[in-house]
Amino acid sequence: MLRVYRNLFWFFKQEWKKYLIMFFLLIILSFLAIFPANILGTIIDLIASGSMKTHEFWVYVILLILFAVIRYGSNYAYHFMINREGQQLSYELRKKYLNKLFSLDAKVYEKYTKGELISRISNDMQHITTAATTLLQELVYNGSLLIFTVGAMVITISWRLTVASVTIMPIAFFILMRILNHMRKYYKTHRVIYSAMTEKVLESIEGVKVVRAYVQEDTDYANLEKALLTDIKSWRKIVKFESIFGPLFDLVYSLCYFIAFAYGTYLVINQDISVGNLITFTTYLGMLYAPIISLSNVFNAVNNAIISNDRYNEILNEEAEVKDDEHSKHIIDFDTIEFRNVSFKYPFDKHNVINNISFTIKKGETIGIVGPTGAGKSTIIRQLLREFNVTQGDIYIDGEPIESFKVEDLRNLVGYVPQSHILFRRGVDENILVGNPDAPMEEVQRAITFADFQKDLPYLSEGLHTIVGESGTTLSGGQKQRLSIARAMVRNPEILILDDSLSAVDAETESTIIRNLKEYRKGKTNIIVAHRFSAIREADQILVISEGRIIEKGTHEELLKLNGWYRRQYDKQNMEK
Ligand code: ADP
């Protein structure tokens, strides 16, 4: 519990004045709650004894109205403030979380699924906000209401009656809470089940097209239903257990009432207390129920908040392995990049995906990379983006380890066109400008011409301003690729990486782009991963990758002469043509 508040300390420190005001408002609210019952008892006694005077009656009425008005005012002020604080906290927690997510490296995105990351910022964050708002309110308001009410029972009525009727309440409550707490260990498991369900729903929505294309709606729906059912079953388990608690406590409460009435009547008969006192007392007893039940829910919510707090902080405590330090150097250009015996294993994999890769890229060269699917081509070139640290070996830029340069600078050197194209639900132009938001229109035009995307514009309803659907659904595969190429080109990068980016374009478009490479990219470096040999045959150096190793290296002519994998595949492609 304290852990949650310790983690939120920064917020309370920032907002302490408002929290202090809210604290006093709650105390006023709970303090005023005890007076009406007392006034009622006094009125009854005055009426019963026949000594009630008219002006006295009006004083009591005005007092009751006054209390009601002050309570309303305090209530209004409190709720207004607490809701604002809740929103403020959600906003700041979200900001922190998203900032953290953006600062983390690819490893974290391998470790957590999208569903997990989303449920932490939605469901879990909600529980944390509740801890900082509703929970505090319940603790302060109900706690003080309990103290004031029991205090009023003892001081204004009878301590003996109070001890006799109220003592069993905390004892029963304590025992029941212990049983309930035992069950709450299960809450954490439930949270994992909930995340899995969120992930499944996300996957189904994202993959709806593929599912439909393969007429797999029923299977997918069955899987989805299974995830939903697992979630609801797990939830029912919790609800079942919690439902036992309510009626049991009602039973204890009825017993308290019985004792209060029996012993209270005895005290009235003995003239220890008045009838008005007994009515006030039973009204007070009734007032204890709501705070006790609320406090039991507080424990429930606290438990939720603790789990959520841990889950939220798990992400906040993640540390990027790939990051700058105070010695990181700027880099805006380079002469050579050397891979020296580089091996790499994905963080949660067992085996290396690439092994002992050594080659050198000179500024201005075009490097071709070919090889079977899954050979490790993307993995090799993506090392330049520093998504992960290499497992073994080194990459040097102008003789210095790649780790000694600022990560952002390195990424700024590169224009990367990935195999799968991520397009945003924005205009085509805005999607291109993601590559360089400050690019002037001429640069955008130049990039479009380079990518041979010009020819697509007449087919787009609003030209450059056409909104691209989610994941680029309004564009064809080739158009998406060309748009992605334009996005990379708009930053006129030192190194352009086309990672199998010409696979969905026709041979003619491919040759236009390859021709443009020569014209537009004089003095700049290009790395082209391709399946079609026509895309790389003019490269200064071609690497043939198989099972994570370089098996052949050279120019097109040199490789043909080697009579190896390259030659065989080249001949095969020519025959197919
Ligand atoms: P290529 O570009 O030659 O098709 P990749 O470099 O994409 O090959 O993949 C090489 C191998 O690494 C494949 O076996 C692939 O399954 C695996 N791989 C790719 N990405 C990941 C990842 N994020 N985590 C684990 N394994 C991966």
Side-chain angles (χ1 to χ4, degrees):
M1 171 81 176
L2 277 181
R3 199 164 66 234
V4 180
Y5 290 111
R6 216 180 302 127
N7 278 326
L8 291 174
F9 184 69
W10 60 271
F11 184 72
F12 297 134
K13 200 171 151 203
Q14 172 189 310
E15 306 284 311
W16 73 270
K17 283 185 194 149
K18 289 180 195 142
Y19 269 90
L20 194 67
I21 297 174
M22 289 191 293
F23 175 79
F24 282 118
L25 286 172
L26 285 177
I27 297 289
I28 292 173
L29 277 170
S30 59
F31 189 64
L32 291 184
I34 60 170
F35 285 100
N38 210 302
I39 292 174
L40 185 72
T42 313
I43 292 175
I44 287 173
D45 280 345
L46 284 173
I47 293 172
S49 63
S51 56
M52 169 75 98
K53 303 211 172 55
T54 318
H55 75 272
E56 264 181 346
F57 173 76
W58 283 113
V59 168
Y60 287 127
V61 170
I62 289 168
L63 266 180
L64 282 175
I65 294 173
L66 197 67
F67 285 143
V69 171
I70 299 175
R71 269 180 67 84
Y72 172 79
S74 310
N75 232 326
Y76 169 80
Y78 172 78
H79 280 100
F80 181 75
M81 288 179 80
I82 198 73
N83 284 330
R84 266 179 70 132
E85 289 309 294
Q87 294 302 328
Q88 180 70 20
L89 178 61
S90 300
Y91 163 74
E92 303 214 7
L93 286 175
R94 271 193 199 122
K95 215 165 63 171
K96 268 183 150 191
Y97 186 84
L98 291 175
N99 271 334
K100 185 73 195 188
L101 274 191
F102 283 126
S103 77
L104 290 171
D105 54 17
K107 188 173 172 184
V108 171
Y109 293 90
E110 299 270 320
K111 188 167 163 190
Y112 302 96
T113 62
K114 271 188 257 172
E116 268 183 285
L117 292 176
I118 290 172
S119 77
R120 279 165 214 244
I121 201 183
S122 51
N123 198 22
D124 287 321
M125 212 195 58
Q126 189 60 45
H127 288 306
I128 302 175
T129 313
T130 306
T133 53
T134 327
L135 279 193
L136 279 188
Q137 165 191 327
E138 308 240 309
L139 280 175
V140 175
Y141 178 73
N142 294 312
S144 57
L145 189 60
L146 280 181
I147 293 169
F148 289 143
T149 313
V150 174
M153 287 161 115
V154 171
I155 295 165
T156 64
I157 301 171
S158 156
W159 69 266
R160 277 178 293 165
L161 186 57
T162 311
V163 171
S165 53
V166 174
T167 325
I168 52 167
M169 244 188 250
I171 298 171
F173 186 71
F174 179 74
I175 297 170
L176 290 173
M177 283 320 296
R178 281 198 67 119
I179 305 171
L180 206 59
N181 269 341
H182 182 68
M183 175 60 193
R184 286 187 176 135
K185 287 191 190 122
Y186 180 74
Y187 275 39
K188 210 162 187 162
T189 315
H190 175 72
R191 221 57 80 75
V192 174
I193 293 173
Y194 179 83
S195 290
M197 181 199 66
T198 316
E199 176 66 16
K200 182 76 204 87
V201 172
L202 257 177
E203 197 183 82
S204 292
I205 294 173
E206 278 182 352
V208 72
K209 276 192 180 165
V210 178
V211 168
R212 279 202 194 129
Y214 287 94
V215 202
Q216 287 299 310
E217 285 100 326
D218 288 347
T219 323
D220 193 61
Y221 187 73
N223 284 337
L224 198 59
E225 206 179 2
K226 211 152 82 190
L228 294 177
L229 264 177
T230 315
D231 176 66
I232 195 92
K233 264 191 206 151
S234 149
W235 187 234
R236 273 191 201 134
K237 200 164 157 180
I238 291 171
V239 170
K240 196 166 116 192
F241 209 86
E242 292 206 335
S243 313
I244 299 172
F245 172 77
L248 270 181
F249 193 71
D250 271 353
L251 207 67
V252 175
Y253 210 75
S254 308
L255 190 64
C256 293
Y257 257 109
F258 173 75
I259 296 171
F261 270 116
Y263 187 44
T265 312
Y266 170 79
L267 290 177
V268 171
I269 292 168
N270 278 338
Q271 296 192 335
D272 283 335
I273 60 170
S274 66
V275 177
N277 282 157
L278 182 58
I279 290 174
T280 305
F281 189 88
T282 47
T283 312
Y284 280 152
L285 201 59
M287 280 165 58
L288 294 181
Y289 186 81
I292 290 181
I293 292 297
S294 282
L295 282 177
S296 79
N297 290 333
V298 167
F299 289 109
N300 180 7
V302 163
N303 197 56
N304 276 331
I306 292 173
I307 299 168
S308 293
N309 179 64
D310 289 350
R311 282 165 53 86
Y312 177 86
N313 279 301
E314 192 183 337
I315 304 292
L316 247 52
N317 293 333
E318 287 285 353
E319 275 299 329
E321 282 176 9
V322 178
K323 60 179 176 193
D324 295 337
D325 60 31
E326 67 269 29
H327 307 297
S328 300
K329 291 183 210 155
H330 279 292
I331 176 165
I332 48 166
D333 204 354
F334 73 97
D335 285 321
T336 55
I337 297 176
E338 186 193 352
F339 278 61
R340 205 182 288 170
N341 301 322
V342 172
S343 298
F344 177 74
K345 173 178 94 57
Y346 282 100
F348 302 98
D349 258 6
K350 289 202 181 70
H351 306 289
N352 282 354
V353 166
I354 53 173
N355 285 297
N356 260 318
I357 297 289
S358 298
F359 66 100
T360 304
I361 306 169
K362 292 205 185 77
K363 183 182 165 74
E365 273 188 348
T366 293
I367 310 285
I369 303 184
V370 286
T373 308
K377 304 183 289 296
S378 299
T379 308
I380 295 174
I381 48 166
R382 279 185 18 214
Q383 300 305 328
L384 292 177
L385 292 168
R386 294 229 46 219
E387 292 173 348
F388 305 94
N389 284 328
V390 296
T391 322
Q392 268 167 13
D394 288 293
I395 301 172
Y396 294 99
I397 301 185
D398 296 341
E400 297 212 42
I402 196 167
E403 294 81 14
S404 56
F405 297 105
K406 286 189 177 294
V407 179
E408 205 178 298
D409 280 9
L410 283 169
R411 290 182 186 154
N412 275 332
L413 279 183
V414 179
Y416 178 59
V417 187
Q419 282 181 24
S420 53
H421 311 287
I422 308 287
L423 300 184
F424 300 97
R425 203 174 164 71
R426 305 176 196 165
V428 168
D429 48 356
E430 287 173 277
N431 265 289
I432 294 175
L433 283 169
V434 169
N436 178 8
D438 301 324
M441 206 50 211
E442 308 87 74
E443 281 298 320
V444 177
Q445 276 305 338
R446 188 172 173 270
I448 288 174
T449 317
F450 172 90
D452 204 18
F453 191 54
Q454 196 73 43
K455 62 181 179 200
D456 299 301
L457 295 181
Y459 300 104
L460 300 175
S461 56
E462 317 248 340
L464 268 180
H465 304 303
T466 310
I467 301 289
V468 176
E470 223 165 67
S471 305
T473 40
T474 53
L475 300 183
S476 73
Q479 285 171 330
K480 280 187 219 167
Q481 281 200 331
R482 289 194 283 277
L483 194 154
S484 288
I485 295 172
R487 177 191 286 167
M489 264 308 282
V490 81
R491 65 197 313 180
N492 198 13
E494 282 308 316
I495 306 169
L496 177 69
I497 299 178
L498 302 180
D499 188 355
D500 206 6
S501 314
L502 300 172
S503 58
V505 299
D506 54 77
E508 199 182 319
T509 311
E510 180 193 277
S511 72
T512 310
I513 294 175
I514 298 295
R515 206 170 46 243
N516 289 344
L517 270 179
K518 277 192 224 137
E519 192 186 327
Y520 286 66
R521 307 243 340 126
K522 284 202 181 87
K524 308 250 182 202
T525 310
N526 306 306
I527 302 176
I528 308 170
V529 176
H531 275 110
R532 274 200 294 251
F533 288 73
S534 47
I536 45 118
R537 59 178 295 164
E538 289 176 45
D540 300 293
Q541 189 185 177
I542 299 167
L543 309 176
V544 181
I545 313 291
S546 176
E547 296 179 1
R549 293 176 191 278
I550 299 181
I551 53 165
E552 290 166 24
K553 187 158 60 172
T555 59
H556 175 69
E557 284 71 28
E558 285 164 354
L559 288 173
L560 285 182
K561 279 191 205 128
L562 277 181
N563 257 332
W565 185 93
Y566 189 89
R567 170 101 228 183
R568 282 196 302 280
Q569 293 300 318
Y570 180 73
D571 289 344
K572 207 164 139 195
Q573 268 191 20
N574 275 344
M575 265 164 59
E576 280 166 9
K577 256 198 246 163

